[in-house]
Amino acid sequence: MYTYSTLATVSRGKTTLPTRTPLRLTPDQQKLLIDIRRKKSELLLEIQQLKDELGEVVAEMETMDGNNFISEEQIKPLNRTKQTSIGRKKFNMDPKKGIEYLIEHGLLIANPDDVAQFLYKGEGLNKTAIGDYLGERHEFNERVLKSFVELHDFTDLILVQALRQFLWSFRLPGEAQKIDRMMECFAQRYCQLNTNIFTNTDTCYVLSFAIIMLNTSLHNPSVKDKPSVEQFISMNRGINNGGDLPRELLVSLYESIKTEPFKIPEDDGNDLMHTFFNPDKEGWLWKQGGRYKSWKRRWFILNDNCLYYFEYTTDKEPRGIIPLENIKVREVHDRNKPHCFELYAAGSEFIKACKTDSEGKVVEGKHTVYRMSAATSEEKDEWVKCIRQSISHNPFYDMLAARKKKAQKTNIHVKG
């Protein structure tokens, strides 16, 4: 890696074009330079955010009448607008802290209905952050989720239409337990408003997931074998208290998804900022390449049950993403590198990962193993510990299998 010092020379009274003299940096100096650049990027981002907030305040002050004197009554709504803006930004970075800030400043009332209204309106809020907050397993969050779902009116909507409306208001989180609570609440609300469609909420729950997975199978380019309507009907046999749902209902659901896929809501907040703002762990690791087994130094970030790696800390987009689903981690000995550990597939041929190729295109990874090397034994132990805590095992299918088994059981009426 090189940096350049610029030298301006004067010749015959005229300044010539600058020339560049290469200066080789040591690895420690390279690391320091990268860290400085990263800090610079972060500071520039914070400065820009402050400028934006200052600009909002100045603009509002200019819209007031031309008097030089600003009364206390005029200042209060000005501060309220600024604090609301700050609260939204805090929410997009850390939902819990954002809600706490808004409550502390009197911008929200500390009750589930008021918080649910705020999330339902969603003005300036990151849809991923909304989903994370709604899925938290705390009594207050669960009450907010119930109020949030009750703000949706699914009356006389077919299930696909109700799902389109519901899934547009936030983004489903990646954790199975969070998804379970949210979809359970959705199914209860739908059945409450449409009493003559399903015999129980478990049937609605399982069918809702079947529709979401059908959407992925039909419209994801990486899925080669597209399911037919007959396969969709077959996979949902027996889920209605041991009986089958009407064929015409399942056909209409299939055709609706085939004609129009679910739309993913656009985020008002910054997705990358939200994902990488407060990671579970980050740092430099050496990663072994696939075909030629060469070692390359990469900046790794562990967050949201995924391991992201970058070429430089200042990169805005990751070079690769490794979802920690159906993956195990183990310590290994390598003759060429110390303090090694590796991720390996648990029961499947390839790890479900993606990376960018030399042309910048996103391609599917073909690794059965990802091997990394840390700088010290302590760092290796810490990475292994954090990754194990983040690993998820099939977040949907185990949960769905249990719920489907429950939905397939017939009612046993015991006569007295």
Side-chain angles (χ1 to χ4, degrees), residues 226-387:
K226 306 297 182 185
S228 66
V229 65
E230 295 301 329
Q231 289 173 317
F232 179 68
I233 292 171
S234 177
M235 71 178 287
N236 288 292
R237 292 196 190 284
I239 68 171
N240 194 27
N241 263 3
D244 294 341
L245 291 165
R247 178 183 175 87
E248 58 271 19
L249 170 64
L250 296 175
V251 171
S252 68
L253 295 174
Y254 179 92
E255 292 299 332
S256 178
I257 289 296
K258 184 177 180 181
T259 304
E260 183 183 356
F262 285 129
K263 293 179 181 178
I264 299 174
E266 294 294 332
D267 267 325
D268 294 316
N270 186 318
D271 269 346
L272 282 177
M273 173 60 76
H274 174 69
T275 301
F276 304 133
F277 178 76
N278 189 25
D280 297 328
K281 184 166 178 59
E282 61 182 336
W284 290 105
L285 291 170
W286 288 89
K287 184 180 81 70
Q288 190 177 54
R291 183 178 301 175
Y292 301 108
K293 302 298 182 184
S294 59
W295 290 91
K296 294 181 179 178
R297 194 164 178 259
R298 295 286 183 257
W299 179 258
F300 280 81
I301 289 181
L302 175 65
N303 207 28
D304 291 338
N305 299 107
C306 284
L307 194 60
Y308 306 84
Y309 59 90
F310 303 76
E311 189 168 359
Y312 304 107
T313 57
T314 51
D315 289 347
K316 294 182 178 179
E317 300 285 348
R319 289 292 302 271
I321 303 174
I322 309 171
L324 299 178
E325 178 185 322
N326 248 20
I327 281 180
K328 293 185 179 180
V329 59
R330 62 192 172 199
E331 299 178 31
V332 293
H333 174 74
D334 191 290
R335 290 182 297 176
N336 300 315
K337 283 284 184 182
H339 318 307
C340 286
F341 64 93
E342 62 185 19
L343 306 176
Y344 63 100
S348 57
E349 186 177 354
F350 292 113
I351 294 174
K352 296 176 182 177
C354 63
K355 61 181 180 179
T356 53
D357 63 13
S358 57
E359 298 177 355
K361 296 179 180 178
V362 178
V363 296
E364 196 173 343
K366 297 295 183 183
H367 288 267
T368 55
V369 168
Y370 282 88
R371 179 169 292 190
M372 274 78 79
S373 169
T376 66
S377 177
E378 291 74 19
E379 280 192 34
K380 175 201 67 179
D381 293 341
E382 184 65 20
W383 273 107
V384 170
K385 175 186 173 184
C386 290
I387 290 172

Side-chain angles (χ1 to χ4, degrees), residues 99 103 109-116 133 136-146:
I99 295 296
I103 291 174
I109 302 172
N111 71 59
D113 291 342
D114 200 51
V115 175
Y133 185 84
E136 284 294 333
R137 190 175 184 178
H138 298 291
E139 183 183 354
F140 185 80
N141 295 67
E142 290 178 353
R143 289 163 61 196
V144 171
L145 171 62
K146 187 174 185 298

Side-chain angles (χ1 to χ4, degrees), residues 53 83-102 104-105 124-125 129 274 277:
E53 291 171 10
Q83 288 172 344
T84 301
S85 176
I86 293 171
R88 286 174 181 150
K89 290 174 182 176
K90 284 182 177 290
F91 178 87
N92 291 340
M93 295 178 180
D94 187 321
K96 181 182 177 182
K97 290 181 179 178
I99 295 296
E100 288 175 352
Y101 175 91
L102 291 165
E104 286 171 6
H105 289 79
L125 300 183
H274 174 69
F277 178 76

